[in-house]
Amino acid sequence: MMFPVFSTIIPVFRMEAAWGIASSGNRWLSLLAVILPQIAGNLCFATIVLMGFIQSVPIELEESAYVGGCHVFQAYFHIIMPAAKSSFATVAIFSFLWSYNDLFTQNFFLRVPREKTITLLLNRHQGQTFYDLLNAERVRRAKELLENPALRISEIAEQVGYADTAHFSRVFKKLEGVSAGEWRNAHCGRQG
């Protein structure tokens, strides 16, 4: 909590590599390599919050438990712990959110695509807009229609939602790397 993760990531990576869990090629060991620094970082926060809350519990509650016949562990588990539910919930929520949103550590330790977490996969698509996804769907539908040799490219552009054939051609070439006519020739053997 006192040091930023950026200043400690290299020593942590070296230590975990020496243990054989970082960059091991094993999915579970790689995930453990991400989990251990998260635990270490969040444990400091959890200790401070829980200690502050437990110290704020009135001493009279503990004394009344002792008068009622409870020993130390009973007083702790039956009086203090139930009163600290809200602080445990706070620690759980913050720790989860901080770990879930920690892209830097996940990017650093999880380098193989099959090991990546959902956060990294969502971050990869963050730059895509609705129109990027819409254009990709339109081009996918256009490729299905291009297999029909009876349809002209201008008709296909209109059917998939483009009013301008030139715009359709630019989008198709940007996404597929070839024009619609070239794609049709390569896949169907006919000029469009």
Side-chain angles (χ1 to χ4, degrees):
M1 203 156 116
M2 288 180 59
F3 299 106
V5 69
F6 310 107
S7 64
T8 61
I9 197 76
I10 300 295
V12 168
F13 183 80
R14 284 185 175 173
M15 181 176 60
E16 289 185 354
W19 293 345
I21 61 174
S23 296
S24 64
N26 183 328
R27 176 183 294 171
W28 299 109
L29 288 178
S30 295
L31 291 175
L32 182 65
V34 172
I35 292 169
L36 289 177
Q38 295 296 336
I39 290 172
N42 290 329
L43 195 59
C44 300
F45 169 73
T47 302
I48 290 170
V49 169
L50 293 173
M51 185 178 70
F53 184 83
I54 290 173
Q55 286 178 347
S56 71
V57 172
I59 193 73
E60 289 81 15
L61 279 177
E62 291 180 54
E63 290 173 353
S64 64
Y66 296 138
V67 169
C70 291
H71 54 77
V72 175
F73 292 112
Q74 286 177 328
Y76 182 73
F77 287 109
H78 295 293
I79 304 295
I80 305 298
M81 292 296 284
K85 284 181 184 177
S86 61
S87 62
F88 278 108
T90 301
V91 165
I93 290 168
F94 277 107
S95 296
F96 171 77
L97 288 175
W98 288 338
S99 299
Y100 184 79
N101 290 326
D102 186 12
L103 293 173
F104 178 73
T105 304
Q106 293 174 21
N107 265 328
F108 198 84
F109 285 104
L110 304 175
R111 298 179 183 221
V112 179
R114 69 181 180 90
E115 295 174 349
K116 297 208 182 280
T117 60
I118 188 73
T119 310
L120 292 175
L121 296 175
L122 290 173
N123 187 46
R124 184 176 69 187
H125 295 294
Q126 182 180 12
Q128 287 186 333
T129 63
F130 170 75
Y131 294 106
D132 293 334
L133 298 174
L134 179 64
N135 284 333
E137 179 58 28
R138 286 175 170 174
V139 167
R140 184 198 63 77
R141 176 74 179 118
K143 289 193 301 188
E144 292 174 1
L145 295 173
L146 281 169
E147 293 176 2
N148 182 354
L151 291 174
R152 291 180 302 170
I153 291 178
S154 59
E155 294 171 335
I156 293 171
E158 188 176 312
Q159 284 187 18
V160 296
Y162 290 98
D164 182 18
T165 305
H167 180 64
F168 166 72
S169 298
R170 285 191 304 274
V171 170
F172 194 95
K173 187 161 189 158
K174 178 183 173 188
L175 293 177
E176 294 298 317
V178 294
S179 69
E182 292 169 344
W183 190 93
R184 178 179 266 175
N185 286 340
H187 290 83
C188 303
R190 181 181 180 277
Q191 179 90 3

